[in-house]
Amino acid sequence: MSDPTTSSALATLTELSSAYPDLSSAYYSPLSSLYSKKLWHQLTVSALDFLSDPSTLRLDNNNNNNNESSSSNHLTLFQKVLLPIEKKLNSLSLVRMASLVAFSLPQKDGLAVLQPLMMTSDDKDRFGPAAMLYLTSRFHLLQLSALASSNSDEAASASSTLEDIAASITTSRRTLNQLADTESESAIVHSAHYETAMYYYKAVGPPESYYKEAIQYVAYTNLKEDVSDADRYNLAVDLSLAALTGEGVFNFGEIIASPLLLHALRDTECEYLVTLLECGAHGDVIKFQSTVRQYSEAIAMQPTLASRIESTVQEKITLLALVNMVFERPALERTLHFEDIADRTGVSLDQVEWVIMRALSLHLVEGTMDEVEQTVDVTWVMPRVLNGRQMEELAVRFGEWAGKVGKTRDYVGTCRGIVESVNRDRKRKRERW
């Protein structure tokens, strides 16, 4: 005889199957069978697939007045079938399903789904650190989404919520470091954390903090399968703007190395952002200036970029021109003359010293400057993501270096033979005496 929990769950699945016959054979019948056989892992996988498919969502149209919460077949499945057996299911999978249900509902109702699952003082180990971190991140992401659509009358409440989210991000980061190599599904948790942190800094700034979190989100997320075309486009725009305008962001190659992000901007009104990033990555001042002139109207539509294009962004391109100039030279030929730097960076000769000092202070390069001889001897240049052409140039240099090492080895071998021959002759002479 089945227990009340099983009877109730199977009855719910039967009701859902009758209410939505188009989903019966593909979903509800298999779920009922797996539940009856107590195949919990298979049930979890099937339920995740079902809840992940937007085409299976059916909203309950009977709850349309303002006094009732929204409902759906996804919510019913989660609350009446899956949640009662939470201890039999993988904790991370369970909170992922809760998140899918919450984000399929209006924001207020979605928060109501996740709120009861949040950590309480009496139940600290309910889901474990990985699942709890994921759940907290998704809850705060939904809060940020709700704040974005709230009105100005809720400013005080919004400020308090943002403070709570900031504190949670800091706490979660410490937990995240502990999970780095211990959780098989840690990428999912990392992605959730960085997505929340990314949107938090998008709301409060500054752009360099947004860039730092967003680039991590890109690293841990399957952009092709898990992010819609519209969201991918918005991410590409926001990330490009943050890279161009953020203080201390010079490694544009991190974005250029992601073809999905670049593809999202191709043939759009923001395609010029790709060109600007490529100008920065290559240190091409002339092309940057021509692009700014060509797309001046489009740039004016982006207030943050427009306000910094002639200051922060121009300075970045100038400094990156110097960085690329150093990189393109062999390691033993990195004594640069001021005149050459002026030609490459597009600044006047009397501004070259400032450019060098600025690059040294930002730790983009290391070296010594001779103001009398008007040269700078560069001993180190910042590491960065390289494109295909730069990798080919580096490969050529490694080949040249290997050739020099080979010649040195042969020379040392020859000298060793000569020295050994001389020592043998000396030994023979001493033995004769």
Side-chain angles (χ1 to χ4, degrees), residues 18 26 40 49 69 133 149 152 189 241 263 332 383 393 420 432:
S18 300
W40 307 126
D49 290 341
S69 300
L133 195 155
S149 58
S152 57
V189 182
L241 291 173
H263 180 73
L332 299 178
E393 293 175 357
E420 289 177 348
R432 290 173 185 171

Side-chain angles (χ1 to χ4, degrees), residues 137-150:
S137 297
R138 299 299 286 176
F139 177 76
H140 289 319
L141 181 61
L142 197 54
Q143 283 185 312
L144 288 169
S145 179
L147 288 176
S149 58
S150 63

